[in-house]
Amino acid sequence: RSARSLCGSWLRRRFAGSDTWAALARAELDSGRNNPSTRVRLLLHSCQSATARRQFAAAEAACQQALQLSAAAGFADTPQRATVLRGLANLRFQQDHLGEALDLFAQALSLQERHYAVQHPMVAATLREQAAVLLAQGRAEEAGKAALRSLVIDEQSFGAAHFELTEALQLLATIRLAQGDREQAILYAQRAVDGTRASLPEGHPRIAIAVSALGDVLARAGRLSQALEQHQAALASLEPTSDEVHAAAAALGVAEDLLATGQAAQALPRLEWGFHSRALTEERLLLGRRQFAWARALWAAGPKSQHERAVALAKDAQASFRELGSQARRALAEVDDWLAQNPLL
């Protein structure tokens, strides 16, 4: 439910918790020591993996090595250099250094537009990442322009109904919610579902992921019964798969919808037992949301003896959101308000 959970989430899902990947990367890095392009690529993957784990010192070292090597090997004015700049920009985004992130994305975009066609899908991907940072800065109008340009590029590349448009459409939905345009946000999220269904076989996990995201938008738009329906459908499809992160997101959506409709007693067991803890280890936003929802359910449905535990959970969520900085500002404000309204007596 944040720009960051939409933009860059693919990288986090791919690299988070990947000890095996790190070992393989080190081995391949050693074997490819005489191939600068291979070394740059692997250093970039190491940067992305460490960024996903929020191991910022390791990510910084890998990104800087990749930049230095790309310059020394004559790649300073190439698309590969642009990709390394994007990796460093995403690191700065995770660190909440938004101004630096925007500068790096601008440099990457300039390189890409010189070497690719202006309407290239890689340009669209960078525009989405740039839009996410702008949204985190509160510059929703500028974010919307970048995201719309990304969508136009993807439409020209893949057609008007395709799963490759999903990230742009979901980002636009998030931006429209920030601007107060709930109906347009729902239309974008629904279009993402429709395009995914039209371009992938029935039962593909990406369809359920898009349905879950539609549920998120409906919930923020106040259409709680519809949101619950979408989250439940997504959860039913994702639970049998190995995609624990998206299954956890759908399950959390169900629990939050139940809470919002006054069904705390039904939400409580889902929040206590309905998650694979491993799925939340690297997903700080999901972890914070689960902690806060669990706190509210305990407070509303549990005995008074559980109020202290509820407040402790809310404070854990508060810490998670604070760590995420501006990207979780809205969630942090909700926790702050709840804690102020529910003091321990």
Side-chain angles (χ1 to χ4, degrees):
R1 297 188 184 189
S2 71
R4 189 182 68 163
S5 70
L6 296 172
C7 290
S9 63
W10 178 84
L11 288 175
R12 293 199 305 280
R13 292 194 303 273
R14 180 176 177 184
F15 296 108
S18 53
D19 292 325
T20 302
W21 159 254
L24 290 171
R26 285 193 296 271
E28 191 172 350
L29 190 58
D30 288 339
S31 66
R33 62 169 55 92
N34 295 321
N35 186 326
S37 179
T38 298
R39 288 179 63 82
V40 169
R41 178 172 57 83
L42 291 168
L43 284 165
L44 175 60
H45 279 264
S46 294
C47 171
Q48 293 165 333
S49 176
T51 298
R53 294 164 169 258
R54 300 187 68 80
Q55 296 173 349
F56 293 148
E60 183 75 29
C63 274
Q64 293 298 339
Q65 287 180 59
L67 281 174
Q68 292 165 13
L69 183 57
S70 68
F75 303 145
D77 187 30
T78 64
Q80 188 180 57
R81 174 78 169 191
T83 303
V84 177
L85 288 169
R86 284 178 61 199
L88 185 56
N90 276 306
L91 171 59
R92 294 290 180 264
F93 189 13
Q94 299 295 317
Q95 292 172 310
D96 210 30
H97 300 162
L98 304 184
E100 291 181 54
L102 277 180
D103 289 343
L104 289 162
F105 279 132
Q107 292 176 47
L109 197 58
S110 177
L111 277 172
Q112 288 174 329
E113 289 177 334
R114 286 206 304 274
H115 291 281
Y116 294 131
V118 175
Q119 302 297 87
H120 194 279
M122 292 296 290
V123 173
T126 304
L127 284 166
R128 288 193 295 274
E129 293 167 334
Q130 188 180 60
V133 180
L134 288 166
L135 184 58
Q137 286 187 321
R139 298 160 65 180
E141 184 174 352
E142 293 170 79
K145 290 177 180 178
L148 275 172
R149 184 183 164 200
S150 168
L151 177 61
V152 169
I153 293 172
D154 284 342
E155 286 174 331
Q156 292 178 352
S157 300
F158 304 107
H162 197 278
F163 69 87
E164 291 288 357
L165 276 61
T166 299
E167 283 193 21
L169 289 165
Q170 291 175 350
L171 177 59
L172 280 162
T174 301
I175 292 168
R176 294 297 177 252
L177 285 172
Q179 294 176 312
D181 191 346
R182 296 178 175 183
E183 294 307 312
Q184 187 62 56
I186 293 169
L187 289 175
Y188 278 130
Q190 182 64 61
R191 185 181 163 192
V193 172
D194 295 342
T196 305
R197 281 195 171 125
S199 57
L200 291 173
E202 185 178 352
H204 194 286
R206 287 198 185 194
I207 299 172
I209 293 167
V211 169
S212 183
L214 172 60
D216 292 347
V217 172
L218 288 164
R220 284 191 58 187
R223 297 190 182 184
L224 299 176
S225 61
Q226 292 174 276
L228 180 59
E229 180 181 342
Q230 298 300 320
H231 283 136
Q232 287 173 329
L235 181 59
S237 296
L238 289 167
E239 272 187 323
T241 74
S242 60
D243 191 344
E244 294 178 352
V245 171
H246 283 112
L252 184 55
V254 170
E256 289 174 329
D257 297 338
L258 290 170
L259 272 172
T261 53
Q263 302 178 71
Q266 288 79 10
L268 185 56
R270 293 175 176 273
L271 292 161
E272 289 179 323
W273 309 108
F275 293 89
H276 296 286
S277 58
R278 183 175 59 186
L280 302 179
T281 302
E282 304 292 343
E283 295 287 333
R284 299 295 296 175
L285 185 62
L286 277 181
L287 177 62
R289 283 175 53 199
R290 187 236 184 151
Q291 290 166 328
F292 184 39
W294 194 354
R296 287 178 289 154
L298 268 178
W299 188 278
K304 287 189 177 181
S305 61
Q306 291 294 311
H307 283 189
E308 186 173 348
R309 186 180 177 213
V311 168
L313 282 166
K315 288 181 177 179
D316 288 341
Q318 191 179 52
S320 295
F321 294 146
R322 279 179 178 157
E323 183 182 347
L324 293 172
S326 61
Q327 300 155 18
R329 186 184 297 115
R330 182 178 61 85
L332 179 59
E334 291 177 359
V335 178
D336 289 344
D337 289 345
W338 187 88
L339 285 168
Q341 294 168 15
N342 296 282
L344 286 173
L345 299 178

